[in-house]
């Protein structure tokens, strides 16, 4: 005579699905933390970029009035820093694409886990 599965049997069969869900949730948390960190980096870089552009503008105005080697050197240094920040921004534009791919895949995993738990 067959016995219906006990609650212990059903819990043990759900355990892998629960673990998959927990793993997916942990992955989502890690991704969210990384996103927050990148957002903070981009925000700081934007502020620095804005300050450098203002400084560049002031130095350029000063250079028009007083042509000195020091001002030319300072202007070139500011240009280099701005170029470096532009590279940072370009690399940050590519990252959101991969984050969308990662979160899309994560959504599929979470959906699969929820579906497995519901069934």
């Amino acid at each position: 005579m067959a016995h219906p599965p006990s609650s212990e049997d059903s819990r043990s069969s759900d355990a892998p699905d629960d673990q998959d869900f927990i793993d997916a949730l942990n992955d989502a948390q890690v991704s969210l933390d990384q996103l927050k960190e990148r957002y903070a980096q981009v925000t700081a870089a934007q502020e620095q970029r804005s300050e450098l552009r203002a400084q560049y503008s002031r130095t350029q105005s000063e250079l028009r009035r007083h042509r000195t080697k020091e001002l030319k050197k300072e202007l070139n240094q500011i240009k280099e820093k701005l170029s470096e920040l532009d590279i940072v921004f370009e690399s940050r534009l590519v990252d959101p694409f991969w984050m969308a791919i990662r979160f899309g895949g994560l959504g599929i995993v979470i959906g699969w886990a929820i579906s497995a738990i519901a069934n």
Side-chain angles (χ1 to χ4, degrees):
M1 188 164 153
H3 295 287
S6 68
S7 61
E8 284 183 26
D9 292 338
S10 65
R11 270 189 248 131
S12 64
S13 67
D14 286 344
D17 293 333
D18 289 344
Q19 188 59 45
D20 289 343
F21 179 72
I22 290 169
D23 290 344
L25 198 54
N26 287 336
D27 289 344
Q29 183 63 44
V30 168
S31 295
L32 181 60
D33 291 342
Q34 289 173 344
L35 181 62
K36 286 178 182 179
E37 182 180 327
R38 287 186 183 169
Y39 178 76
Q41 289 171 347
V42 168
T43 301
Q46 285 175 331
E47 289 174 10
Q48 185 179 7
R49 186 181 189 188
S50 178
E51 291 169 8
L52 284 172
R53 284 188 173 168
Q55 184 180 358
Y56 181 84
S57 206
R58 286 190 305 269
T59 305
Q60 202 172 27
S61 295
E62 187 70 24
L63 184 64
R64 286 187 195 124
R65 286 186 237 129
H66 310 287
R67 288 223 175 257
T68 64
K69 290 181 183 180
E70 291 83 19
L71 286 174
K72 286 181 184 179
K73 184 178 176 181
E74 184 179 347
L75 202 58
N76 286 332
Q77 288 173 344
I78 294 170
K79 279 183 187 178
E80 287 175 17
K81 289 179 185 176
L82 282 169
S83 294
E84 290 171 9
L85 284 175
D86 286 341
I87 291 170
V88 169
F89 282 123
E90 287 174 12
S91 70
R92 296 295 181 225
L93 292 176
V94 174
D95 286 343
F97 169 75
W98 292 111
M99 291 182 83
I101 297 297
R102 186 181 320 151
F103 280 118
L106 187 59
I108 291 170
V109 170
I110 291 173
W112 171 78
I114 291 172
S115 175
I117 291 170
N119 291 333

